[in-house]
Amino acid sequence: MTAPTTLKTPRSGWMADRRGPWPWLAAALAVLAVVAALSYDRNPLISVAQGYAEDVAKASAATYVSLRTLNAFLSFAQEIEVGGSLVVSGTARPLKVLEPIDDTIERIASVVFVVMLATGVLSVALGPVSGTGWGLVALAAVLWAWRGRARGGAAARKLGVYGAFLGLALPLAFLLASVLAERMTARVWAEHQAVVAEMTEGVDGSDLPAPGDGGFWRELQDRLGGADRYQAMAASLYTHADDLIASYIAILAVFIFRIFVLPVMLVGAFMVLARHLSRMS
């Protein structure tokens, strides 16, 4: 008679993989991920991505100041009164025709302010979000080592993939955007910046005097050459309003492309890859 055979139940969890290299690989990955999560502020990839967002924020802030200065100039120009006594007595404000342009500039400035604010938030949030992603990778590695490849592999893989998406793919998208965006938009940016600089020369705030003994507005009137020059500058802006507004809109489009459209396209590509990897059996 043959001795009865005993059936051994398969072991699960850590004991199931204790003879293989997987627990040690998972432990090493967890340690590296924890280090990356705790030192995200010293990650060169994060530094480059944050620097790109900060550069866009600074450029948008400069454009916002330019828009608000032009807005103030147009608002002040509308208040200039011209006296009349030929047929009727009283005063008129001929530069009130600038009001639609003034309103349009104000609306563009509001959108630029939102872009500037969102870009500033991104520059601050990229580091903590990346650190959180690496924390998820560490958690996935621990789950993999504890539950084993058979029982915890699917959940650990999904958690690890999405953690790597936040920790690596998101800053990498902004890094690639920093390399590609400037080359794609350099010509449009330079062309329309030159148009804006030419049309707003003298109303960009650089020619404004400092307050002195005669009072700020008196010195301002002297520096601008009186109301005649002020009206001439306003009339020039009115004549070329279409080109000026078109250039500002083009600059706004460059900001949106650099900080939203291109990074979102790259992030979307990484998201598709992450979803494919998380569903692999």
Side-chain angles (χ1 to χ4, degrees), residues 27-94:
L29 178 60
V31 171
L32 292 176
V34 168
V35 172
L38 296 177
S39 60
Y40 68 84
D41 54 339
R42 294 186 292 275
N43 188 334
L45 180 62
I46 299 297
S47 299
V48 174
Q50 286 180 328
Y52 170 68
E54 290 174 357
D55 289 342
V56 176
K58 291 177 182 177
S60 59
T63 302
Y64 176 76
V65 171
S66 172
L67 284 164
R68 296 304 296 178
T69 302
L70 180 59
N71 184 222
F73 172 84
L74 293 173
S75 298
F76 181 74
Q78 295 176 60
E79 301 303 319
I80 296 178
E81 297 181 348
V82 177
S85 58
L86 184 60
V87 178
V88 296
S89 61
T91 59
R93 295 176 179 175

Side-chain angles (χ1 to χ4, degrees), residues 111-124:
V111 179
V112 172
F113 180 80
V114 173
V115 173
M116 177 182 66
L117 184 61
T119 307
V121 172
L122 281 173
S123 66
V124 174

Side-chain angles (χ1 to χ4, degrees), residues 151-243:
R151 297 180 61 185
R157 182 176 62 252
K158 291 181 180 180
L159 190 61
V161 166
Y162 285 113
F165 171 78
L166 294 176
L168 182 62
L170 192 60
L172 184 60
F174 280 91
L175 174 64
L176 293 176
S178 68
V179 175
L180 299 174
E182 186 173 356
R183 297 180 181 179
M184 292 179 175
T185 60
R187 183 185 62 80
V188 176
W189 175 264
E191 176 182 344
H192 291 284
Q193 280 283 53
V195 172
V196 169
E198 180 181 358
M199 293 186 179
T200 59
E201 184 180 4
V203 295
D204 59 357
S206 60
D207 197 37
L208 298 181
D213 296 336
F216 176 77
W217 291 112
R218 181 177 178 180
E219 292 186 24
L220 175 60
Q221 186 178 13
D222 294 340
R223 183 68 64 87
L224 293 176
D228 292 340
R229 184 184 171 188
Y230 212 79
Q231 292 178 8
M233 294 167 64
S236 177
L237 289 175
Y238 180 79
T239 303
H240 302 92
D242 294 342
D243 295 333

Side-chain angles (χ1 to χ4, degrees), residues 92-114:
R93 295 176 179 175
L95 295 181
K96 271 295 184 180
V97 294
L98 295 172
E99 187 172 1
I101 303 173
D102 188 21
D103 293 341
T104 304
I105 293 296
E106 186 174 2
R107 290 186 175 92
I108 296 175
S110 300
V111 179
V112 172
F113 180 80
V114 173

